[in-house]
Amino acid sequence: MPPVVIALDGPSGSGKSSTARKVATRLGLAYLDTGAMYRAMTWAVLERDVDVEDAEAVAEAAAEIVIESGTDPQAPTIIADGVDVAGPIREQAVTDAVSQVSRVPAVRERLVALQRQTIASSDGIVLEGRDIGTVVAPDAPLKLYLVADTAARAARRAAEEGQAEVAAHVEATAASLQRRDAIDSTRTTSPLAKADDAIELDTTHLTLDEVVDEVVRLAVKAVPDLGGPAS
Ligand SMILES: Nc1ncnc2c1ncn2[C@@H]1O[C@H](COP(=O)(O)OP(=O)(O)OP(=O)(O)O)[C@@H](O)[C@H]1O
Ligand SMILES: Nc1ccn([C@H]2C[C@H](O)[C@@H](COP(=O)(O)O)O2)c(=O)n1
């Protein structure tokens, strides 16, 4: 039997990482943040002073970059060229450049191959990203597409950064989310898209725990074996 895959896709800041980690923990599954892999690749490209607008140069650099992901949902790790980049990949410079790097086909080929290797070596896994249900794991028995209003997404992200009360920060965050969504959903290779058989879940008015409960319920319905003592 191939490992069970739960695919979580959706726009920036819709709650994919927080939901996926908690669902994986509840169900005793591994967890892979594919956005962190694209961010790590971007960090390493920037470290090499490569112009992210130059797709050929990005592809050339990407061929040499080594990305490693740890899949424990309670302590996920991300390493680029032997460096722990969990902190640096959340910095604004990486956030601003990641959509440019992610649209280079050679980058996607490398990372999708790594993601499929990670699935194959797992005993069941929750993956989150932009193309999990459409490209990385099209046969996943459960695909979710998380959405939330831009205002809610920006407010949540600003709260996480301790800036919820700073209107200019919330506004800039909303603009940054929308800019990334626009690039991610219009690129030629595997754009952000809802798979035809994905279930759309609007989290705007749901708490994180409510979202997690719903995803766990859908997972156990789709794969009854997941409903063992661990859940
Ligand atoms: N349903 C929810 N209710 C309230 N806050 C939430 C909810 N879901 C997620 N959050 C919060 O919103 C923020 C963004 O969530 P998260 O990082 O999981 O989104 P994401 O889709 O993985 O984002 P990105 O695509 O940028 O990586 C976090 O601070 C998280 O705790
Ligand atoms: N499967 C994926 C995951 C991520 N990306 C790109 C597009 C995002 O803007 C960026 C960062 O992802 P995040 O950390 O915000 O989830 O990575 C992608 O193209 N495909």
Side-chain angles (χ1 to χ4, degrees):
M1 282 283 284
V4 169
V5 175
I6 297 176
L8 274 181
D9 290 300
S12 303
S14 55
K16 302 179 299 294
S17 311
S18 332
T19 304
R21 284 182 69 174
K22 283 177 176 265
V23 168
T25 302
R26 287 262 298 268
L27 296 174
L29 300 175
Y31 158 72
L32 185 63
D33 176 353
T34 64
M37 299 172 79
Y38 286 94
R39 285 173 179 272
M41 187 63 95
T42 303
W43 175 86
V45 164
L46 293 175
E47 281 289 296
R48 285 167 163 76
D49 279 329
V50 171
D51 175 5
V52 296
E53 301 294 335
D54 182 345
E56 238 173 75
V58 170
E60 213 171 287
E64 295 170 1
I65 295 166
V66 179
I67 306 293
E68 297 161 273
S69 307
T71 60
D72 176 348
Q74 301 197 63
T77 55
I78 181 77
I79 292 172
D81 289 338
V83 179
D84 177 349
V85 291
I89 63 169
R90 303 294 160 192
E91 285 171 9
Q92 197 60 44
V94 172
T95 299
D96 289 343
V98 65
S99 289
Q100 303 295 342
V101 171
S102 307
R103 65 183 187 174
V104 175
V107 168
R108 305 203 70 80
E109 269 166 41
R110 279 210 68 206
L111 293 185
V112 169
L114 268 179
Q115 290 154 15
R116 289 185 177 148
Q117 275 171 26
T118 305
I119 293 173
S121 60
S122 79
D123 294 325
I125 187 162
V126 183
L127 279 92
E128 54 102 348
R130 304 294 190 288
D131 59 344
I132 310 304
T134 52
V135 174
V136 178
D139 297 329
L142 179 64
K143 301 177 186 178
L144 274 306
Y145 192 78
L146 296 193
V147 294
D149 287 357
T150 304
R153 292 187 284 140
R156 291 170 183 172
R157 184 64 83 206
E160 179 184 299
E161 293 163 351
Q163 308 263 8
E165 310 306 323
V166 185
H169 184 88
V170 178
E171 220 171 279
T173 303
S176 168
L177 294 172
Q178 285 179 313
R179 180 185 154 273
R180 274 201 292 141
D181 290 347
I183 302 176
D184 295 342
S185 54
T186 55
R187 67 176 174 236
T188 317
T189 310
S190 46
L192 162 67
K194 175 180 170 296
D196 289 341
D197 52 350
I199 298 168
E200 183 167 311
L201 195 54
D202 186 341
T203 75
T204 306
H205 303 292
L206 299 177
T207 66
L208 180 55
D209 283 343
E210 286 171 335
V211 178
V212 171
D213 285 347
E214 178 62 0
V215 176
V216 167
R217 186 187 72 76
L218 291 167
V220 172
K221 190 173 160 204
V223 187
D225 282 357
L226 289 174
S231 72

